[in-house]
Amino acid sequence: MADIRSLRDAVADLVRSGDTVAMEGFTHLIPFAAAHEIIRQGITDLTLVRMTPDVIYDQLIGAGLVKKLIFSWGGNPGVGSLHRFRDAVENGWPRPLELDEHSHAGMANRYVAGASRLPFAVLRGYRGSDIPDRTDTVSTVVCPFTGEELAAVRAVNPDVTVIHAQQADRQGNVHLWGLTGVQKEAALAADRVLVTVEEIVDELQPRPTGITLPSWAVTAVVPVPDGAHPSYASGYSVRDNDFYQAWDPISRDREAFQTWLKENIHDRSADR
């Protein structure tokens, strides 16, 4: 059964310097509160995995905690670039950032292989792309049945996956619904799983599009209302579009970013 913990204790116990960390959620249910606690605790030298790095990873990269990014797209959705990400890549500030870039299909298949505890996944893709020349995690295999050459992508198995969900019950079973991405696969691929939730309930109710993660797949559950802000949790909150707009000028300037980091993360206790 998954433990119900405080955010501070769960992050301190489950996320360690040097880890490979996946923080998933697509537009919706992005685990910002957990990321901010990682920044507060100064957990560093991380390899971050995410299909669509957006503001959550811009903040972690800008805080100097990330040595490598495994991803398939990066940007501030509906606004533009991730300027802390760009500064790290183009100028090595606050530290150089190693990249392992993939297609969306490639990343999804890497998670599926990891969740299946297989060494790699096979797909049709990457043909005509220079991505295989830039990474050692893409190769080719020949189908033993048809002779067709296919792309192969190495499985990804995070040390810890962090996600946000709407509900968990008191036994640690987790339920999320709405716009979901690869949270299930990312969780099953990981050694440890930390889930922040909007609330703890006595009983989970089945919902259309709902995904249930059983307690045996979850290491710790943390109640964090509004823990996905500025993204949203369907049925609980709405997306803070103003924040995403405001992030662009903040992230463009190193000094403005550092001021924001101090005032909004370091000077604020998690208190959860």
Side-chain angles (χ1 to χ4, degrees):
M1 185 173 72
D3 293 330
I4 298 176
R5 309 278 297 276
S6 71
L7 182 60
R8 183 184 297 108
D9 289 348
V11 168
D13 186 39
L14 299 182
V15 187
R16 301 152 193 174
S17 290
D19 272 355
T20 296
V21 181
M23 305 185 79
E24 283 295 346
F26 182 68
T27 301
H28 169 245
L29 298 176
I30 299 173
F32 274 93
H36 292 170
E37 184 60 22
I38 289 171
I39 293 172
R40 282 187 204 98
Q41 295 189 19
I43 302 168
T44 191
D45 295 330
L46 300 175
T47 295
L48 294 184
V49 188
R50 184 168 162 80
M51 282 191 62
T52 55
D54 53 16
V55 171
I56 188 174
Y57 277 14
D58 212 30
Q59 294 171 357
L60 286 157
I61 291 166
L65 305 179
V66 186
K67 67 178 181 181
K68 182 176 181 179
L69 180 63
I70 301 171
F71 73 113
S72 55
W73 175 89
N76 183 347
V79 180
S81 290
L82 296 175
H83 300 290
R84 293 301 90 224
F85 176 17
R86 289 192 62 157
D87 203 6
V89 173
E90 295 172 359
N91 304 305
W93 193 94
R95 63 186 291 178
L97 181 65
E98 182 183 350
L99 301 180
D100 184 9
E101 185 176 2
H102 285 265
S103 67
H104 282 336
M107 279 297 299
N109 275 275
R110 294 190 71 186
Y111 276 129
V112 169
S116 303
R117 302 296 160 169
L118 293 171
F120 65 92
V122 177
L123 68 153
R124 289 189 175 92
Y126 295 99
R127 194 177 299 275
S129 166
D130 67 351
I131 289 178
D133 299 329
R134 299 171 180 266
T135 177
D136 61 2
T137 57
V138 177
S139 188
T140 58
V141 294
V142 176
C143 174
F145 304 106
T146 66
E148 181 183 5
E149 184 180 83
L150 299 167
V153 289
R154 183 181 297 172
V156 62
N157 290 103
D159 295 302
V160 58
T161 286
V162 182
I163 62 173
H164 188 74
Q166 283 97 335
Q167 295 177 349
D169 65 18
R170 301 187 190 284
Q171 288 70 49
N173 301 295
V174 171
H175 195 48
L176 59 151
W177 64 86
L179 181 62
T180 57
V182 292
Q183 289 99 317
K184 175 183 71 175
E185 292 79 4
L188 294 175
D191 293 336
R192 305 181 295 276
V193 178
L194 167 59
V195 184
T196 56
V197 296
E198 292 292 320
E199 64 173 334
I200 305 292
V201 298
D202 292 328
E203 184 177 357
L204 301 177
Q205 299 295 326
R207 294 172 184 265
T209 77
I211 294 172
T212 300
L213 290 174
S215 61
W216 59 258
V218 178
T219 312
V221 170
V222 180
V224 186
D226 208 23
H229 180 268
S231 76
Y232 71 102
S234 180
Y236 287 83
S237 60
V238 297
R239 189 176 190 266
D240 186 351
N241 292 314
D242 290 343
F243 180 91
Y244 287 92
Q245 292 284 348
W247 183 251
D248 188 74
I250 292 168
S251 65
R252 283 180 183 271
D253 182 80
R254 293 177 185 176
E255 185 175 344
F257 167 74
Q258 290 174 309
T259 298
W260 182 92
L261 200 66
K262 180 179 184 300
E263 293 177 351
N264 293 276
I265 297 182
H266 289 302
D267 288 351
R268 292 188 180 184
S269 170
D271 291 331
R272 326 191 204 231

